[in-house]
Amino acid sequence: MPPAHPFDDDKLREECGVFGVVGVQDAANFVALGLHALQHRGQEAGGIVSHDPEQGFNSARRFGYVRDNFTKQSLMETLPGPLAIGHVRYSTAGSKGNTAIRDVQPFFGEFSMGGAAIAHNGNITNANALRRELIERGSIFQSSSDSECIIHLMARSLQQNVPERMKDALRRVEGAFSVVAMTRTKLIGVRDPLGVRPLVIGRIGDDGFCLSSETCALDIIGAEFIREVEPGEMVVIEHGHLKSHRPFEAAKPRFCIFEQVYFSRPDSILSGRSVYETRRQIGIELAREAPVDADLVCPVPDSGTPAAIGFSHESGIPYGMGIIRNQYMGRTFIEPTEQIRNMGVRLKLNVNRALIKGKRVILVDDSVVRGTTSRKIKDMLLDAGAAEVHFRIASPPTAWPCFYGVDTPDRDKLLAARMSEEEMREYLGVDSLKFISLDGLYRAAGQEDGRNNSCPQFCDACFSGEYPVRPRDMIEKGFQLKAAE
Amino acid sequence: MPPAHPFDDDKLREECGVFGVVGVQDAANFVALGLHALQHRGQEAGGIVSHDPEQGFNSARRFGYVRDNFTKQSLMETLPGPLAIGHVRYSTAGSKGNTAIRDVQPFFGEFSMGGAAIAHNGNITNANALRRELIERGSIFQSSSDSECIIHLMARSLQQNVPERMKDALRRVEGAFSVVAMTRTKLIGVRDPLGVRPLVIGRIGDDGFCLSSETCALDIIGAEFIREVEPGEMVVIEHGHLKSHRPFEAAKPRFCIFEQVYFSRPDSILSGRSVYETRRQIGIELAREAPVDADLVCPVPDSGTPAAIGFSHESGIPYGMGIIRNQYMGRTFIEPTEQIRNMGVRLKLNVNRALIKGKRVILVDDSVVRGTTSRKIKDMLLDAGAAEVHFRIASPPTAWPCFYGVDTPDRDKLLAARMSEEEMREYLGVDSLKFISLDGLYRAAGQEDGRNNSCPQFCDACFSGEYPVRPRDMIEKGFQLKAAE
Amino acid sequence: MPPAHPFDDDKLREECGVFGVVGVQDAANFVALGLHALQHRGQEAGGIVSHDPEQGFNSARRFGYVRDNFTKQSLMETLPGPLAIGHVRYSTAGSKGNTAIRDVQPFFGEFSMGGAAIAHNGNITNANALRRELIERGSIFQSSSDSECIIHLMARSLQQNVPERMKDALRRVEGAFSVVAMTRTKLIGVRDPLGVRPLVIGRIGDDGFCLSSETCALDIIGAEFIREVEPGEMVVIEHGHLKSHRPFEAAKPRFCIFEQVYFSRPDSILSGRSVYETRRQIGIELAREAPVDADLVCPVPDSGTPAAIGFSHESGIPYGMGIIRNQYMGRTFIEPTEQIRNMGVRLKLNVNRALIKGKRVILVDDSVVRGTTSRKIKDMLLDAGAAEVHFRIASPPTAWPCFYGVDTPDRDKLLAARMSEEEMREYLGVDSLKFISLDGLYRAAGQEDGRNNSCPQFCDACFSGEYPVRPRDMIEKGFQLKAAE
Amino acid sequence: MPPAHPFDDDKLREECGVFGVVGVQDAANFVALGLHALQHRGQEAGGIVSHDPEQGFNSARRFGYVRDNFTKQSLMETLPGPLAIGHVRYSTAGSKGNTAIRDVQPFFGEFSMGGAAIAHNGNITNANALRRELIERGSIFQSSSDSECIIHLMARSLQQNVPERMKDALRRVEGAFSVVAMTRTKLIGVRDPLGVRPLVIGRIGDDGFCLSSETCALDIIGAEFIREVEPGEMVVIEHGHLKSHRPFEAAKPRFCIFEQVYFSRPDSILSGRSVYETRRQIGIELAREAPVDADLVCPVPDSGTPAAIGFSHESGIPYGMGIIRNQYMGRTFIEPTEQIRNMGVRLKLNVNRALIKGKRVILVDDSVVRGTTSRKIKDMLLDAGAAEVHFRIASPPTAWPCFYGVDTPDRDKLLAARMSEEEMREYLGVDSLKFISLDGLYRAAGQEDGRNNSCPQFCDACFSGEYPVRPRDMIEKGFQLKAAE
C-alpha cells in the first residue's frame, strides 16, 4: 500500500550502494558481483534491472543478501542483456512486511520516448514538497521511497530524451544523490553538485564501462578504476563512449567525511586516497592527540581495526585481538525469542579473556552514537579482568543527525548531543575517553592544514552541525538548525 | 517490469471476480469468503485492500487460491477495518514470473484529496490509446494491466472527490467493466452502460452493504441479495446509505450470455433467473432440437451437468456419471515432467468403464472451443467400449473471440471459425454433433420469443460476431470484424 | 521425535492408498500418476521409493497433494529406475508439525542380504504388543506409525530373502493390511487373510506389472486390469514373471463393505463389480425400502450422487443439483482465522436456492457419522425455503468404530451409537430419516440373498459391531466389544 | 534413503560442535546460543532435542545457520523443558538433497527402559564393521551417519540404564568421539580415551550445568568454565550433581593439535591455554625459524591473523591488513551461475591495493591443503603490485588425511603429500615458503621441549602420518599407512 504518510520521521533512512555496467555479456552477472562487494552499504534488499535488445527491460528485487539471491542461475537467466544497473538497500525500520518490496530500487518508468530505470544513493531533502506537488498534478506513487520523485519528475519533463529529462528532474531535487540510471542503450551516472556521496567510473573489457559507489566493487569484476564521477557531473555512456555533462551550477565539493571514517570499505579508494590508510592515519593522529600508558591496543572489530593498527604503530603499544567477532551474524532476526532480543552485542562479540586479563587496554572504535553498545563492551572487558579501559574514538563526537543518506537516530538519541566529553566518559564508565579532533580527522584524510573553517573541504554536518544543503523537509517537521554563532 | 508491449495478443486475457463490503467488523474477512465463493472466476491470484480509520489503507496480494492465503490469521490481521474490497484473477499466460504480482488488483492511488482503491472485472477496449495518452502526459504505469488506466485517469481528473473523478475516468473508458472501488469511507460499484459483466448488491447485518460479481458470494457470508447494480449505474455507499448515480448515456443492456452458459456458478441468480435452471432449460431445448435414440445421457463434468440433467428429463433417457472427475486437480503445474505435460485431460477425467461399455452415449458439454479436449474424451469413451457417441453442446458454435473480459484464443484457433458443423463432427470423430441454436439459447435464458435480431437482448458476440462495443485496440492490431451482410 | 506414547487413541488413524510398478522406464513417474488417481484415499502426504541398478534406492516424502510435489521434473529426476512403490496418507490429527514427515511411507530398511521398502494400507491390531516386544529386543523406531513394525520384524527374521522375511513378519501381524513392497528387483504385493483392504494387479507395456489399491489408478497409466490380489495371497513379480504364494492359513474373505459405500472411487471395480453401479443400486434399494412422496431427489455432493441417481431412477422423482460444491476446497487450513474455523460446511457447500424453494426434497447422503454436518445441511435447505426434507442414507447406521484402517471417531462420538433412528431424526430435524438395511446393502453389493448372518460375506463391523479380527490393542486400552447375544 | 554404501570415501567427513544444558528454564534457548557460538565447527545444519516432564522429548533439525532457525519464537516454543542438547554439523558433500535431514543429529532412540538422545563430535573408525554387525542382527539404520551406530548399540545393550548402556556401546566404538547425551533427567558427556576432540564443563545459575565443545560457548550464555571432561571420562549430571565415571582403560591423551592451529575459536581455552595466545606464539616461533627481510606482515584473514600478529611482534615488521575479507559470505551457493562457480576466493577476499603496492609482503596463513587458494591469493597480491611475496605457514605440511572428525581431502589431493617444500614453493609461485616445524608447533602449544617423538603429546597424524587409533574402515577400503621406518 502506498503510505498514508508519505514521510515518516520514525523511519530510519537508507544508505545505499549502486552499481551499473554496459558493454559486457550478461551484464546483470557483473552487477550482482558488484553489489556483493557493496553489500556493506545496504544489507536488507537488492534489485537489478537489465536490458536486452530482444527481451527488453527485465527486473528482479529481493529481500536478503545479494549472495543468496542474485547468484542463482534460474534468477539470473531472467536478466539478460549487455546493460544493467543495481542497488543494495539498508533496512528501513518502518516498512511493514508485505509492501516493502515496492521500495526496493531500481525504479522503472516508461516515458513517451522510451523507458528508463534509476537507482539512487543519498537522500532528497525536499522530497515532501516534491511529492505533494506531483500528486497534485496526478502522479501516482507506488512506493514510500523519496527516490521515486525523480522518476515522476522525469516522466513529466518536456525534454525529448532521457538524459535531458534527468537533468530537468535533478535540477528540481535538493540534497545528496549519486544516481546510476539506464535507458535501452545508455548507462548514466550523476553526482549532486557537492558530491556528498561517492560514485566512480571503471573500464572493463574492450568496450565496457561500469559505475560503482566504491572502487572495491571494480576489483571484484576485474575492472580498472578510471576516475570518480565529479561533483555536479553527469556522465552518459553509449556505444563504448563516455560524454561528460555539467547540468548544475558550479559549487565547492563537500564529500561526506563519514565515508572515510566508517562507511566505505577499507580496500576502496576515495578522493584519491586509500580508505585503509586514512583510517590508519586517524589512529596515528589519535595516538599523538591522546596518548596513554597501557599494555594493549585492542580494536572493536572490525570497524576499529585500521585505526587500532595505526594507534599501535604510533604508540609502540602491542596490538592484539582482545575482542573476537562471531562471523555468523547477519543483520536481523525474524520473530526472535525474548532471550535473543535481550542478547545484544554478546551475540556478535566475545572477549578474549586470556588476553585481556590484568591488562591496561586501549579500546579503539570508529564512533560513538547512542553509546549503548560501547557500555556493554566495556562491561565485558571489565568482567574479563581488564585492569584499565581507555577508549579512543576515530571520529569527533557525533552530535547531529545526517540528512544526506546515512541512517542516524534523532538528535536527542545521540550521546554527544546530550553530554560533554567528561559526562560521556562517566556514562560509559571508562578510565579515559578521547575523540579525535575535527582538525586531526581532516589531516588524516589528507588535508594537511586541517579543516578550512570558512569553507570546509568535507561535509561534516554530523560532527559540526553545519549542513551544506538545507534539510528542508526536516525543518518543516520541526528540526532546529544550530544557532548561528 | 512494466511491459515493453502494453498489449500483447499472445496473452490470455483475464476474467475476474470482484467483491466489496462496508459496515462490518473486519471487512477483509468477509471479502476473503466472498472471493473464495468467486474463485471459479479467477484462480491465479487474489488481492484485498482494506481501510481502517486508525491504520489507514492496507493491502495484500497473493498468487494462488484464496483459501490458501486469505484464511490465515497472520495475514488477515494486517487488513483491519470496516471497509474492504477484493479481486480474484485468472491466469494470464504472458506474465512472466517475477513481475506479475504487480498486475494483481485492487490497484491503489493516492490523489491530492485522498486515496482510492479499485478492482475491475471486464476489459477495456480502448486501453492502448488511453495508455499512450497517459504516458505522453507523464503517468508512470506499474503493471501490464489495462485496468490501471482507470486509476491514472482518476488521478488526473479535475474533479474534487473520488466518485466524481471515477465518473470522469469511466466516461473515457470503452468496453465492458464492472468496477468495485473504495475510498476511506465509501464503497462504490459501477457497471458499464451495456452491463456486460455482472455485479450485484447485498445487505449484511444492520448497516452493512456488499457488492459482488455473483449472488453465490452473498450466500457464503449470509448476506441478503437486494438487486443487481443496473447497467450504466454507479452506486455509492457511505454511512449505511446507498445513492444511485447515472453517469453514462442510456443504452440498451447487453448482458453476456456466456455467463449463463458457463461462467457463473449454477447456484447464482443472473438477471432474475437461476443459472442452474437456465442451464437445465438449455438441456431441455437441446433434447427438443436435436433428439437421438440412446441409452445414457452423460455430462462432461462438471460444466455439462445441469444441461445433461435437463436433456435426460426431456428425453427420458437415463442420466448417468459416465465420466468421473478427479477432485484433486488445480490449474497449473510448476516445472512439470514431460509425462505430466503430455497427460492432458486424463489427469482430470476418467471414464466409468463399467457404465459406458456397450452403451449408446449422449455426451453433453457446455461448449467447444479448440476441440482438442473433446476429441480426447471421445477417444476415452470408445476405448471403454461405448457403442455410439452423440455429442450435444449447450451453446452455439464459438466462432468469435471475446474482447470483454473472457479469455478466448485467437479466432483461427477456434474450431467453429474454421469448420462447418459436419466438418467438426468428422474432426471430433463422433456419431452425431449438435449445438443448441442461438434462438434456443435465448429461450432457455428466459427470452420466450428467442433472439431479437435487430436488437439482441444479450451480448452474444462469441457466437454471432456482432460486437456491441467496437474492439478498438484489437482492430488497431489487425482484427477483422465480420463483414456487414 | 518418536512418540512418548506409541499408540494414541485420540489420534485419527489413516486410510491409505498404495501403488507399485515394475518393468517400465522411470517407474516413479507412473507411481506418481497412480497416487494422483488414489489421492482420495489419503490427502495429507505422499512418498515414493524407487530403485535403479546404478543409483540404488532413492526416496522422497512430501506433505501435500501428489500433483503439487511428484509432478516436478527436479524431484522426479531424483527417483530413477524401472521399479518404484508409493503411498498416500490421510491426515493423522495427532502428529505434530516438525516430526511427522517421518511417518510418511514407504518405509525402508537395509537388511543383511539387501534392502527393502514397504508401503501399507490398513491397520495392525496388535501393533502395541509388537512394538513393545521389538523395543525390548533393541529395535529403534523412527516413526509413530504402526506400519514400521513390519520392517523391524523383517529385519529380525532368520529367513534368507525378502519375500520369506516378509512372510515371517506378516505372520506375526494381526489386522487388515494390503502391502506393496520392493527389493532391488522384485515388486511384492500381499493382502491379509480376510482381504479387508483392496489390492489389484495390472499389466503395462510388454513386461511391466503394477499393483494398486484401486483399478482407477490402472486407467490413468493405461494399464490393463488383470485380477485382484486374493485375500491371503502374496504375489512376487520379478523379471516379468508373477509368482503366487499362500503364506497364511486359509480363511473366509471379509472385504470391507464401506469401500463399496464411500471410500473407493466410483470408476473403480471392486470384487468384480463397478463401484458406481453398486452405489446406484443402493439408491434403488433405498427407494424400494423407504419410498416417500417428494418433488426432488438431491444428493449431498459428491459422495451421495450415485445413490441419488439410483433413487431417482427407481422412484421416478426428478434428480437435481440442490446443493452446489465449491471446487476450490482442500482439506486443511494453516493458521486459520476464527471466522474460518467457524464456517464449517458453508465453505464447501451452498444451496441452489432457486431450485430448492418450495420443494419437498429427498436428500441422499452416503453415511451419518457424528451428524453435525448433516444438521447444517438441513438448516441450509430450510433457510432456502425447502417445504420438506427427507433424509435417505446409503448405508446402515454407523454405530461402531473401524480398527482396520478407516479413520473413525471414538464410539461415543458416533450418533448411531447413542440414539435410536427416531432420536436421530429428531436431532437432525428432518421430516423423515431412513437408512438402508444391512440386507439391502448386501443385495446392492451383489449378494442376492442378502447378508449371511452366520458367516457374513463382508466386514461390516462399523454397522454390526462384529469384528472379524480381534482389536487387541484397543481392547487393551479399554474398548468394549459388543456383548454376545 | 539409508545409503546403499554406508561409508563413502568420496564424502567429506564432518567436524561438529556439541552443546548441552540441564537445570535452567527453557534449556533449548541456551543450547541455541551455545550452538551459535560453535557455528564455526559446523555450518550446514543444526539440531536440538529437549525434554520437558509434561511434554516429553521434542526435537527440531534444520539446514542452515543456527541464527536463522533456532532464534525463532515459534520454533523454540516447540522445544520446552529444563534439559536439552544440540549439535551443529559441517557440510557433507555426498549427502543428496532430500535425505540429508535424517543425518542431522542429535539422534534419538526409545529403549525398553526409556529414551535417550545423543550428539557426537568425532569419527568412528570401525563404523563399517559395527554397521554390518548391527544390520546382521536386525537393526535398521535411518541415516548415513556413523554416529547412529552408538544409539543402536545402546538399544541392544543388556544393561539396565542409559549411562551403563552408553558405556557398553562406547566400549565397542573405536576412534575419536566427544559425546553429549541426555535422558529424561540426565545430561551426560563422554570423551574417548585419547581425548582427541574437546569437551568442557560449565556451570550456570544455581543448579545448572552445561557441556560444550569449546569454552567460547560458555561465555555467550554467561556460564562459568569449570574444567574439561577428561580423556576417557564420562560425566553424568542429574539433579544438580555431577558424577565422574571411567569406563575405558587408561591411555595417554592425544588431543588434536589442529584444534590449536585452526579449528577452535581464538577466544576459547584448550588444555588450559588460550587458543589466541598459542597461535600468536606460532607466529613468534615462525619468525624465529624462518625470518625474512620485508615491509609488511599480512595475514590471510581471518585464520592467519593471530600468527601474523605474533610474527610482526617478534620480527618488528609492521602488521597490516593487506587482504580484506567480505563479511557477507556464507558457505554455499544454491544453483550458482557459471560465473559464481568460477569466482573462487575473489568472492571472499580482496587485496588492499594501496597498501600492498611496491611492498615486500610476508603472507601468513594457518595451513596449506590443496594449495589452490594460496596460488590465487598470491596472484592477487602480484596483480596489486607486491614487490615480493614470502609465504609463512602456521602449521607443518599437511601430508596425511584426518580420520578423527576433521574434513580432509584424499591423500593424493594434499599438496604436501605430493611435493617437497621447494616444489611447493615453485608451484605456489612465491619468493619463499616456510612451514613451522613440528617441534616449533609443540613449543607454541605449551610443550617447552617440543614433541616427545616416542610418545607424542598430541595427535598430529595429519602432519606426521602417525595415527594413534588404527583407521580400520579406511584400511579396509585400501588406505596405506605410513611404512614403519
Side-chain angles (χ1 to χ4, degrees), chain A residues 90-162:
Chain A
Y90 185 70
S91 172
T92 64
S95 294
K96 268 180 302 172
N98 56 50
T99 62
I101 197 73
R102 298 191 185 187
D103 290 346
V104 179
Q105 302 185 30
F107 290 114
F108 179 88
E110 202 175 355
F111 311 140
S112 54
M113 31 31 83
I118 75 166
H120 167 232
N121 173 23
N123 191 50
I124 301 176
T125 50
N126 64 334
N128 260 7
L130 287 176
R131 185 181 269 259
R132 272 196 309 266
E133 176 190 328
L134 284 160
I135 288 174
E136 192 76 37
R137 290 183 184 221
S139 292
I140 295 181
F141 278 73
Q142 294 294 329
S143 78
S144 65
S145 167
D146 301 337
S147 310
E148 197 186 337
C149 288
I150 300 173
I151 201 110
H152 284 288
L153 289 168
M154 288 172 69
R156 290 174 171 283
S157 167
L158 302 176
Q159 300 303 315
Q160 287 300 304
N161 61 53
V162 168

Side-chain angles (χ1 to χ4, degrees), chain A residues 55 116 158 177 180 263 273 283-284 367 372 390:
Chain A
Q55 300 193 37
L158 302 176
F177 50 84
V180 168
F263 224 80
R273 279 174 70 89
I284 289 170
S367 59
T372 46
H390 300 276

Side-chain angles (χ1 to χ4, degrees), chain A residues 291-354:
Chain A
V292 60
D293 196 19
D295 306 308
L296 183 75
V297 179
C298 166
V300 177
D302 290 340
S303 56
T305 300
I309 290 171
F311 198 107
S312 167
H313 286 173
E314 179 68 16
S315 65
I317 300 169
Y319 169 87
M321 294 168 65
I323 300 174
I324 303 296
R325 194 169 159 278
N326 185 322
Q327 296 173 22
Y328 304 99
M329 285 296 298
R331 281 197 64 78
T332 54
F333 289 90
I334 297 163
E335 193 212 331
T337 59
E338 185 70 17
Q339 194 178 24
I340 289 294
R341 271 196 295 269
N342 293 336
M343 283 297 289
V345 73
R346 285 209 298 172
L347 281 171
K348 194 170 140 192
L349 302 180
N350 190 28
V351 170
N352 188 347
R353 306 175 76 89

Side-chain angles (χ1 to χ4, degrees), chain B residues 68-360:
Chain B
D68 292 331
N69 293 300
F70 294 100
T71 53
K72 290 184 192 167
Q73 188 68 34
S74 56
L75 179 58
M76 298 313 289
E77 279 172 357
T78 70
L79 298 168
L83 176 47
I85 67 172
H87 190 262
V88 285
R89 170 193 162 88
Y90 186 69
S91 173
T92 64
S95 294
K96 268 180 301 170
N98 57 49
T99 63
I101 198 73
R102 298 191 184 187
D103 291 346
V104 180
Q105 300 186 29
F107 290 115
F108 178 88
E110 202 175 355
F111 310 140
S112 54
M113 33 27 86
I118 75 166
H120 167 232
N121 174 23
N123 191 50
I124 301 176
T125 51
N126 66 333
N128 260 7
L130 287 176
R131 184 182 270 259
R132 272 196 308 267
E133 175 189 328
L134 284 160
I135 288 175
E136 193 75 37
R137 290 184 183 219
S139 293
I140 294 181
F141 278 73
Q142 293 294 329
S143 78
S144 64
S145 167
D146 301 338
S147 311
E148 197 187 336
C149 288
I150 301 173
I151 201 110
H152 284 289
L153 288 167
M154 288 172 70
R156 289 173 172 285
S157 166
L158 302 176
Q159 300 303 314
Q160 287 300 303
N161 61 54
V162 168
E164 290 306 315
R165 283 181 180 234
M166 187 174 290
K167 289 179 192 174
D168 215 16
L170 291 176
R171 285 185 194 117
R172 288 294 314 279
V173 165
E174 300 172 3
F177 50 84
S178 286
V179 168
V180 168
M182 65 186 278
T183 67
R184 272 174 285 207
T185 55
K186 298 183 181 75
L187 176 66
I188 302 171
V190 196
R191 277 175 93 190
D192 63 75
L194 304 187
V196 175
R197 305 256 71 89
L199 191 64
V200 303
I201 307 169
R203 295 223 48 153
I204 180 163
D206 291 335
D207 286 327
F209 277 91
C210 43
L211 298 172
S212 172
S213 290
E214 296 183 32
T215 62
C216 66
L218 303 182
D219 296 343
I220 199 171
I221 63 166
E224 184 192 359
F225 171 41
I226 302 298
R227 65 169 176 91
E228 301 197 347
V229 176
E230 290 176 26
E233 185 185 14
M234 167 188 274
V235 297
V236 178
I237 301 161
E238 190 174 19
H239 306 317
H241 296 286
L242 180 151
K243 275 193 200 152
S244 174
H245 303 245
R246 290 285 176 176
F248 309 108
E249 281 184 40
K252 286 271 181 190
R254 298 290 291 272
F255 183 65
C256 168
I257 201 160
F258 207 74
E259 291 273 354
Q260 302 277 14
V261 169
Y262 171 75
F263 224 80
S264 289
R265 245 172 64 172
D267 48 340
S268 284
I269 307 289
L270 289 180
S271 316
R273 277 175 71 87
S274 151
V275 173
Y276 173 83
E277 183 54 22
T278 294
R279 290 180 191 166
R280 200 181 69 92
Q281 286 295 338
I282 293 174
I284 289 169
E285 290 282 340
L286 252 180
R288 287 175 190 157
E289 290 188 359
V292 60
D293 197 20
D295 306 309
L296 184 74
V297 179
C298 165
V300 178
D302 288 343
S303 56
T305 300
I309 290 171
F311 199 108
S312 167
H313 286 172
E314 178 68 16
S315 66
I317 300 168
Y319 169 86
M321 293 168 66
I323 300 173
I324 303 295
R325 192 169 161 279
N326 185 321
Q327 295 174 22
Y328 304 99
M329 286 296 297
R331 281 197 63 79
T332 55
F333 289 91
I334 297 164
E335 192 212 332
T337 59
E338 186 69 17
Q339 195 179 20
I340 289 293
R341 271 195 296 269
N342 293 335
M343 282 298 288
V345 74
R346 283 210 299 172
L347 280 171
K348 190 170 141 192
L349 302 180
N350 190 27
V351 171
N352 186 348
R353 306 174 77 91
L355 180 61
I356 290 297
K357 190 162 185 191
K359 298 257 175 65
R360 295 168 300 165

Side-chain angles (χ1 to χ4, degrees), chain A residues 174-254:
Chain A
E174 300 172 3
F177 50 84
S178 284
V179 168
V180 168
M182 65 186 278
T183 68
R184 272 174 284 209
T185 56
K186 298 182 182 73
L187 176 66
I188 303 169
V190 196
R191 277 174 91 190
D192 63 77
L194 304 187
V196 175
R197 304 256 71 88
L199 191 64
V200 302
I201 306 169
R203 295 225 47 157
I204 179 164
D206 291 336
D207 286 328
F209 277 92
C210 43
L211 298 172
S212 171
S213 290
E214 297 183 31
T215 64
C216 65
L218 303 181
D219 296 343
I220 199 171
I221 63 166
E224 184 193 359
F225 172 41
I226 301 298
R227 63 170 176 90
E228 301 196 350
V229 176
E230 291 177 25
E233 185 185 15
M234 167 188 275
V235 295
V236 179
I237 302 162
E238 189 173 21
H239 307 317
H241 296 286
L242 180 152
K243 276 192 199 155
S244 173
H245 302 245
R246 290 283 174 178
F248 309 108
E249 281 183 41
K252 286 271 181 191
R254 298 288 291 273

Side-chain angles (χ1 to χ4, degrees), chain C residues 8-16 40-44 89-94 121-123 197 256 258-259 262-263 331-332 366-370 398 400-411 413-414 462:
Chain C
D8 178 353
D9 72 347
D10 270 320
K11 189 181 292 187
L12 300 180
R13 228 62 38 71
E14 75 260 15
E15 169 69 73
C16 308
H40 60 289
R41 299 183 73 83
Q43 300 157 48
E44 193 196 31
R89 169 193 162 89
Y90 186 70
S91 173
T92 65
N121 174 23
N123 192 50
R197 303 256 72 89
C256 167
F258 208 72
E259 291 274 353
Y262 171 75
F263 223 80
R331 280 198 63 79
T332 54
D366 65 285
S367 59
V368 170
V369 180
R370 285 184 177 86
T398 305
W400 296 89
C402 177
F403 302 128
Y404 306 135
V406 176
D407 168 41
T408 38
D410 287 347
R411 193 164 185 231
K413 299 289 192 314
L414 296 170
C462 50

